[in-house]
């Protein structure tokens, strides 16, 4: 049976990034940029006030103060001042409002006083105070981003501030999630004998949300061979990656591997030497012109599905998007002894907390692949090699 390391290498070697595509910037968060970006405008696009206050001609502050000014106008953000500031005058100006022609200096409202409707200034301001010059943030023609950069939320704001609406990126793959099982019923409905509530679909769908995938197709299917085959065939035509849950083990109604082969999928692997998650299944659907399509089959036991998501699905997604690995590994001190049966590589949920002497990992009780509650407090996993049966407390 394939080792985990070997399965992950197959994913790395075979799953290629999606073809670059121009997408609206709102859909580009976390994506790898596939073009250079040069600023097309100055931002800010005009000299503007950094304060709510009054705008002056600096030349008016000659001789000894205090100085008295007559108020000509009020300029709000978004206004287009028609007048020019006359000597001995001021205008009231709001933050972000264009600096009126003739003025060059702004004093904030808290620093002036008023008398008979006039504005009194006691201290001479430095020239240019509180004026944000055009292009101060980004100047037209500046190199904003290089090809290959990974766009953050702030980066998208930067693109928006220069007026860009679309960018060319490695796009987020389009996903379809299918929970299989004739025993499954949706929460909110009465439970008949033999049925269970579908918990995996909500878990996996929300793990996907945690990784930035909001718009996915999500359905449940019974274990009827023909119906499931039709559904997968349809989803394959619309999506880059199908994630099925359940139906990949050895049962009479575990149809996914066979129907994938009938649909022309090539099995990359089926079963990995690990616990939980052994039945994991990956298939590729090649096509001459387009990117391959993929189907990853997660085992249905809830803990297996979660472990398989973190171990395999995230890896496939980062390969499709050409991103660095999304799993963070660090060393922690084991708080209590763990005893396991030797055999397969084990992946065990633990609760890691930050303490004086560093990260500490607390076992959270007996875990088995069918007991979802045994994962309740886990915020990390530890891996235990197949030949190890006991990890003493305080091991790293
Ligand atoms: P399977 O992988 O289809 O053989 O399912 C293994 C076990 O997981 C069975 O006990 C199923 O009833 C259970 N299971 C499968 N899918 C789900 C689901 N969506 N939610 C909760 N349990 C499930
Ligand atoms: Mg099943």
């Amino acid at each position: 049976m394939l080792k985990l390391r070997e399965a992950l290498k197959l994913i790395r070697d075979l799953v290629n990034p999606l073809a670059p595509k121009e997408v609206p910037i709102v859909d580009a968060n976390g994506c790898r940029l596939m073009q250079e970006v040069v600023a097309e405008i100055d931002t800010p696009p005009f000299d503007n006030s950094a304060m709510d206050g009054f705008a002056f001609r600096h030349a008016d502050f000659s001789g000894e103060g205090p100085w008295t000014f007559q108020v000509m106008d009020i300029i709000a953000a978004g206004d287009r001042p028609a007048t020019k500031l006359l000597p001995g005058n001021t205008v009231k100006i709001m933050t972000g409002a264009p600096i009126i022609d003739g003025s060059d200096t702004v004093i904030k409202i808290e620093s002036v006083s008023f008398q008979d409707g006039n504005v009194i200034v006691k201290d001479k301001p430095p020239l240019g105070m509180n004026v944000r010059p055009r292009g101060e943030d980004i100047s037209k023609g500046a190199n904003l981003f290089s090809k290959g950069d990974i766009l953050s939320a702030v980066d998208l704001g930067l693109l928006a501030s220069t007026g860009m609406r679309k960018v060319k990126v490695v796009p987020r793959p389009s996903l379809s999630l299918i929970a299989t099982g004739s025993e499954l019923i949706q929460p909110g409905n009465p439970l008949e004998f033999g049925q269970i509530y579908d918990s995996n679909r909500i878990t996996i769908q929300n793990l996907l949300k945690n990784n930035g995938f909001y718009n996915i197709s999500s359905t449940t299917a019974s274990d009827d061979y023909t119906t499931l085959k039709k559904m997968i065939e349809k989803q394959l035509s619309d999506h880059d990656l199908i994630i099925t849950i359940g139906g990949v083990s050895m049962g009479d109604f575990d149809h996914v591997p066979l129907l994938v082969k009938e649909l022309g999928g090539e099995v990359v692997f089926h079963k990995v030497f690990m616990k939980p998650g052994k039945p994991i299944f990956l298939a590729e659907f090649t096509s001459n012109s387009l990117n391959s399509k993929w189907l990853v089959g997660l085992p249905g036991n809830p803990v297996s599905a979660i472990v398989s998501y973190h171990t395999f699905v995230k890896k496939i997604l980062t390969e499709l998007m050409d991103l660095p690995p999304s799993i963070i590994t660090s060393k922690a001190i084991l708080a209590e002894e763990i005893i396991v049966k030797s055999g397969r590589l084990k992946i065990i949920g633990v609760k890691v907390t930050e303490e004086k002497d560093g990260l500490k990992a607390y076992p959270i009780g007996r875990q088995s692949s069918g007991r979802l509650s045994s994962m309740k407090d886990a915020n990390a996993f530890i891996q235990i090699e197949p030949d190890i049966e006991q990890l003493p407390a305080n091991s790293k």
Side-chain angles (χ1 to χ4, degrees), residues 222-240:
S222 76
D223 290 317
D224 177 71
Y225 188 89
T226 317
T227 324
L228 185 60
K229 188 175 165 190
K230 276 212 184 101
M231 183 186 281
I232 290 181
E233 188 171 24
K234 165 84 177 74
Q235 297 297 315
L236 274 168
S237 65
D238 297 343
H239 302 281
D240 301 305

Side-chain angles (χ1 to χ4, degrees), residues 54 69-74 88-92 114 117-119:
F54 288 87
F69 297 88
Q70 212 180 326
V71 182
M72 274 178 61
D73 203 354
I74 299 180
N89 282 253
T90 183
V91 291
K92 197 172 190 186
F114 301 94
N118 291 330
V119 170

Side-chain angles (χ1 to χ4, degrees), residues 42-61:
D42 286 323
T43 61
F46 48 88
D47 295 354
N48 69 95
S49 176
M51 287 286 172
D52 296 319
F54 288 87
F56 302 91
R57 293 157 37 98
H58 194 262
D60 283 346
F61 298 102

Side-chain angles (χ1 to χ4, degrees), residues 180-181 183 223 246-247 254:
T180 72
E183 74 279 30
D223 290 317
D254 290 335

Side-chain angles (χ1 to χ4, degrees), residues 52-128:
D52 296 319
F54 288 87
F56 302 91
R57 293 157 37 98
H58 194 262
D60 283 346
F61 298 102
S62 55
E64 288 291 303
W67 297 270
T68 302
F69 297 88
Q70 212 180 326
V71 182
M72 274 178 61
D73 203 354
I74 299 180
I75 308 172
D79 280 355
R80 192 188 179 126
T83 46
K84 194 171 176 227
L85 186 62
L86 301 174
N89 282 253
T90 183
V91 291
K92 197 172 190 186
I93 192 165
M94 311 302 147
T95 305
I99 296 294
I100 181 173
D101 267 3
S103 82
D104 49 23
T105 303
V106 171
I107 301 178
K108 63 180 179 190
I109 195 154
E110 299 91 324
S111 303
V112 301
S113 53
F114 301 94
Q115 202 171 50
D116 307 326
N118 291 330
V119 170
I120 316 290
V121 178
K122 269 215 222 84
D123 301 312
K124 180 174 178 173
L127 173 65

